[in-house]
């Protein structure tokens, strides 16, 4: 089983243009993601997928590998599919978020381990939710799983609904799970899902993985206790830099 890690990186982010090139303690975010991914034992190769010359130039500076992709892609999944066609000898593709500069290599290895079972076509990670706040946060997608760890549904709403419990104690009544947005695909499954039209559930929740479930694909999950810091906005970057400064002082 040969596994390739692909890091989609685009410059024109709506909420944070130029995000891959921001400085985090002396290194750009894309360099930090790339270097963390290289530490994963399961990956035979790591490639950055970008549609922007500025990002490509930065990758050249730190000696990384990149591939130019179409600027028309709607998601990182589509970008990964294009790149995977250029590497036909790899069986498994891991889609590594380009805005998580301190992603844990062990998480990548955990996700890749899902494909030791030949029947697994798609996989992702989930994390137990401990706080009430996360349960009700629409920016933190939740997932419910079956007894085999397969995802049954993803939602921005709290799922499941606890019928016999006040909202303030739901975390005590049931184990909720948060979706961690790193995906793995068997190559043929990746090709298939990118040919699917957007589905009604995907449009309603704005969660692309619902398109796959709605079309009969199943998504294997594994539980992780890690949760890395994602940089979605300039405010997120400011908070991270303040945290890094505080740790440095200690």
């Amino acid at each position: 089983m040969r596994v390739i890690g692909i890091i989609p990186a685009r410059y024109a982010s709506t909420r944070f243009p130029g995000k891959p090139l921001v400085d985090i303690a002396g290194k750009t975010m894309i360099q930090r993601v790339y270097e963390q991914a290289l530490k994963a034992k399961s990956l035979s190769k790591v490639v950055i997928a970008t549609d922007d010359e500025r990002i490509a130039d930065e990758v050249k500076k730190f000696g990384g590998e990149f591939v130019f992709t179409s600027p028309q892609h709607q998601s990182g999944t589509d970008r990964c599919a294009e790149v995977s066609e250029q590497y036909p000898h790899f069986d498994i593709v891991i889609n590594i978020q380009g805005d998580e500069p301190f992603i844990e290599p062990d998480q990548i290895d955990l996700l890749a381990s899902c494909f030791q079972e030949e029947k697994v076509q798609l996989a992702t990670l989930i994390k137990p939710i401990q706080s009430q706040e996360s349960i009700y946060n629409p920016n933190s997608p939740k997932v419910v799983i079956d007894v085999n760890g397969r995802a049954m549904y993803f939602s921005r709403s709290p799922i499941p609904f606890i019928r016999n419990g006040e909202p303030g104690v739901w975390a005590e009544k049931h184990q909720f799970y948060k979706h961690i947005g790193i995906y793995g695909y068997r190559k043929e499954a990746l090709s298939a899902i990118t040919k699917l039209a957007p589905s009604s559930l995907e449009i309603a929740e704005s969660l692309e993985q619902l398109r796959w479930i709605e079309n009969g694909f199943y998504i294997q999950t594994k539980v992780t206790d890690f949760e890395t810091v994602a940089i979605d906005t300039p405010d997120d970057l400011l908070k991270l830099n303040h945290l890094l400064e505080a740790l440095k002082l200690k």
Side-chain angles (χ1 to χ4, degrees):
M1 188 175 76
R2 298 193 69 204
V3 187
I4 183 171
I6 301 177
I7 307 170
R10 64 191 185 99
Y11 191 91
S13 169
T14 303
R15 289 189 290 178
F16 197 169
K19 182 167 62 172
L21 302 181
V22 298
D23 181 84
I24 300 174
K27 293 182 181 180
T28 57
M29 177 148 61
I30 192 61
Q31 180 176 357
R32 289 195 174 277
V33 177
Y34 186 82
E35 290 177 349
Q36 287 298 102
L38 286 177
K39 298 175 186 177
K41 298 180 179 66
S42 58
L43 300 182
S44 302
K45 180 180 283 292
V46 178
V47 179
I48 293 166
T50 187
D51 58 3
D52 194 275
E53 289 277 1
R54 289 162 290 190
I55 295 174
D57 287 343
E58 170 59 21
V59 178
K60 290 175 188 175
K61 286 180 184 177
F62 64 74
E65 187 170 344
F66 70 92
V67 173
F68 276 118
T69 59
S70 167
Q72 305 302 319
H73 291 311
Q74 298 299 307
S75 70
T77 300
D78 296 329
R79 208 173 298 281
C80 285
E82 180 183 346
V83 174
S84 71
E85 293 302 319
Q86 300 184 40
Y87 295 91
H89 302 302
F90 288 90
D91 312 295
I92 308 300
V93 175
I94 304 296
N95 179 351
I96 301 165
Q97 299 292 325
D99 59 3
E100 295 187 4
F102 301 108
I103 185 170
E104 288 282 346
D106 287 347
Q107 282 189 316
I108 298 172
D109 292 336
L110 177 63
L111 181 61
S113 72
C114 292
F115 295 94
Q116 291 171 359
E117 293 187 34
E118 290 187 9
K119 62 183 179 179
V120 172
Q121 298 295 304
L122 304 169
T124 194
L125 298 181
I126 61 177
K127 180 180 182 295
I129 291 177
Q130 309 296 342
S131 71
Q132 297 291 340
E133 181 182 358
S134 293
I135 293 174
Y136 305 107
N137 182 356
N139 295 317
S140 178
K142 273 67 64 177
V143 58
V144 287
I145 57 175
D146 67 14
V147 294
N148 297 308
R150 296 179 180 181
M152 299 169 65
Y153 192 71
F154 296 82
S155 181
R156 296 185 182 279
S157 297
I159 52 173
F161 180 89
I162 305 300
R163 180 66 179 86
N164 297 311
E166 293 297 322
V169 297
W170 280 15
E172 301 169 17
K173 297 286 186 178
H174 180 81
Q175 181 58 73
F176 288 79
Y177 290 101
K178 175 182 180 178
H179 179 220
I180 303 298
I182 179 173
Y183 293 110
Y185 327 87
R186 207 169 290 276
K187 189 174 178 182
E188 60 271 20
L190 174 58
S191 178
I193 61 177
T194 55
K195 293 179 174 65
L196 299 172
S199 70
S200 59
L201 292 175
E202 174 191 10
I203 293 169
E205 296 258 20
S206 191
L207 296 172
E208 68 170 329
Q209 63 270 35
L210 292 177
R211 183 194 316 183
W212 315 338
I213 292 176
E214 203 167 352
N215 280 277
F217 288 87
Y218 81 81
I219 304 172
Q220 185 65 45
T221 72
K222 282 204 174 180
V223 178
T224 177
D225 289 326
F226 293 117
E227 184 169 355
T228 54
V229 179
I231 309 298
D232 292 320
T233 67
D235 282 345
D236 292 337
L237 178 62
L238 188 62
K239 291 175 185 176
L240 176 60
N241 282 330
H242 285 163
L243 175 62
L244 293 174
E245 284 297 322
L247 291 174
K248 191 190 304 183
L249 290 173
K250 291 180 181 180

